[in-house]
Amino acid sequence: MAREPSVGDGAARTGTTEIRRSVRRADLKAVGEVRRALRELVRHRCRAETSDVAELLVTELVSNALVHTEQGAEVSVTLVATRLRVEVRDFNARRPTPYVTSADDGTHGRGLVLVQALADAWGVDPLAPGRGKVVWFELEAPAPA
């Protein structure tokens, strides 16, 4: 079951704010819960357009993890100063690759292309054998004007 967002114990001392959430396999309703937790985290700390992009990209990464792997995922969102980092860990070592879709693909296959196009940085970090991978993105997150 999805956990409530947690704010790191050191947040007041370091200026770091975070969310950590576990999502069960095939629990697609948890995608919306993760998106709402992210929105709440950045609501007063970032510009609205940063929040919109972050919500879209976290939706894509969590959905990918739940649809394309046999186990759940772990989501970590960290906001340090003006840098937002989102990590989605799944338990499948297969590396995802962005690809250009055709009209026959319907709504599938666009997630990583969006991440590639909209994130300031992104990547895939393999974990130890049998432990899966982390797909992540970062956005500059300037404070609201």
Side-chain angles (χ1 to χ4, degrees):
M1 179 162 191
R3 294 187 308 190
E4 287 304 307
S6 61
V7 177
D9 295 334
R13 293 186 307 274
T14 65
T16 300
T17 307
E18 64 184 25
I19 297 169
R20 294 200 184 279
R21 195 173 278 220
S22 294
V23 181
R24 290 183 316 199
R25 180 178 74 89
D27 185 7
L28 293 178
K29 89 172 179 159
V31 175
E33 295 168 0
V34 169
R35 190 173 50 246
R36 282 188 292 281
L38 173 68
R39 182 182 317 126
E40 188 63 29
L41 175 75
V42 301
R43 183 170 59 159
H44 298 295
R45 296 174 185 91
C46 304
R47 294 183 181 157
E49 58 270 17
T50 302
S51 178
D52 293 343
V53 170
E55 287 179 50
L56 172 64
L57 299 185
V58 77
T59 298
E60 293 298 336
L61 293 188
V62 173
S63 297
N64 282 352
L66 296 180
V67 169
H68 298 293
T69 67
E70 294 297 317
Q71 295 174 316
E74 295 176 0
V75 181
S76 173
V77 180
T78 308
L79 179 61
V80 179
T82 62
R83 194 75 171 176
L84 179 70
R85 181 176 175 100
V86 175
E87 298 179 348
V88 178
R89 175 185 179 218
D90 65 47
F91 300 91
N92 184 324
R94 192 178 89 241
R95 292 180 62 91
T97 55
Y99 67 94
V100 178
T101 61
S102 70
D104 296 336
D105 290 332
T107 60
H108 298 288
R110 293 175 177 84
L112 285 180
V113 172
L114 287 171
V115 173
Q116 189 175 40
L118 298 174
D120 293 315
W122 81 280
V124 181
D125 295 335
L127 299 174
R131 305 274 304 174
K133 66 184 172 298
V134 174
V135 182
W136 58 270
F137 70 84
E138 292 182 349
L139 294 171
E140 283 299 317

